[in-house]
């Protein structure tokens, strides 16, 4: 049985930074994009969007003490039929009139309301556009 080299590439997932894809813009280097190989045509590889993530150092730089971290994830369907699982992260922020040494924690009811609003925003934004537009938004 003869094995074709292009068959070994199909289904393979490539992970690269958004800065590499956009020609070296280092302001976007913290975003990692995953692309899956759909087909091989000569020397060209046809890929499709497979996922997007943030680098660990960027996530760690966002997380600080004395604040509440709120995470939400939702499954959404785009207009072109793709089903995506979107994750979002939010943090509480000190008010302008708050003392500098005080904490800015959210109560559990506030966290529930914030997470509910995050669900609504993600569902609304993703359900009214196709995959290409959604990736551009992100």
């Amino acid at each position: 049985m003869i094995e074709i080299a292009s068959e070994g590439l199909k289904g393979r997932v490539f992970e690269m930074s958004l800065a590499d894809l956009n020609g070296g813009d280092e302001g976007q280097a913290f975003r990692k994009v995953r692309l899956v190989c759909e087909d091989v045509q000569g020397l060209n590889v046809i890929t499709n969007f497979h996922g997007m993530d943030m680098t660990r150092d960027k996530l760690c730089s966002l997380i600080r003490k004395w604040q509440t971290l709120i995470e939400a994830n939702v499954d959404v369907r785009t207009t072109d039929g793709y089903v995506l699982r979107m994750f979002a992260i939010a943090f509480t922020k000190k008010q302008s009139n708050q003392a500098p040494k005080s904490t800015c924690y959210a109560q559990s009811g506030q966290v529930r309301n914030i997470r509910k609003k995050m669900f609504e925003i993600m569902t609304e934004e993703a359900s009214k556009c196709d995959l290409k537009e959604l990736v551009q938004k992100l």
Side-chain angles (χ1 to χ4, degrees):
M1 186 165 121
I2 300 172
E3 193 154 321
I4 302 170
S6 64
E7 293 299 319
L9 284 176
K10 288 184 184 174
R12 186 172 291 191
V13 177
F14 301 98
E15 184 173 282
M16 59 206 71
S17 74
L18 192 60
D20 293 340
L21 292 174
N22 288 340
D25 181 15
E26 292 302 317
Q28 301 172 333
F30 63 90
R31 285 195 173 98
K32 297 185 298 185
V33 177
R34 288 192 309 274
L35 302 170
V36 63
C37 176
E38 297 286 328
D39 193 20
V40 178
Q41 297 174 350
L43 294 176
N44 297 324
V45 177
I46 309 301
T47 60
N48 199 357
F49 180 77
H50 193 68
M52 192 160 83
D53 200 4
M54 293 174 75
T55 57
R56 181 178 169 87
D57 62 322
K58 179 66 174 179
L59 275 174
C60 290
S61 71
L62 293 173
I63 298 170
R64 291 190 300 262
K65 289 167 64 171
W66 319 121
Q67 67 182 10
T68 303
L69 176 134
I70 305 161
E71 294 178 305
N73 64 318
V74 64
D75 292 335
V76 293
R77 183 178 298 274
T78 59
T79 55
D80 53 354
Y82 284 95
V83 177
L84 301 172
R85 179 166 291 147
M86 295 176 62
F87 294 86
I89 188 168
F91 304 97
T92 54
K93 180 180 163 187
K94 283 187 182 163
Q95 297 289 320
S96 58
N97 60 356
Q98 198 170 354
K101 291 269 185 178
S102 63
T103 62
C104 55
Y105 296 126
Q107 295 176 336
S108 60
Q110 293 170 323
V111 170
R112 274 195 304 274
N113 290 339
I114 293 169
R115 192 173 289 124
K116 183 179 174 186
K117 189 68 175 173
M118 290 167 73
F119 288 148
E120 291 172 8
I121 291 171
M122 286 192 289
T123 305
E124 178 185 324
E125 290 296 322
S127 62
K128 65 182 180 186
C129 61
D130 63 355
L131 181 66
K132 187 176 180 181
E133 293 170 0
L134 184 61
V135 172
Q136 284 295 333
K137 281 183 183 180
L138 297 174

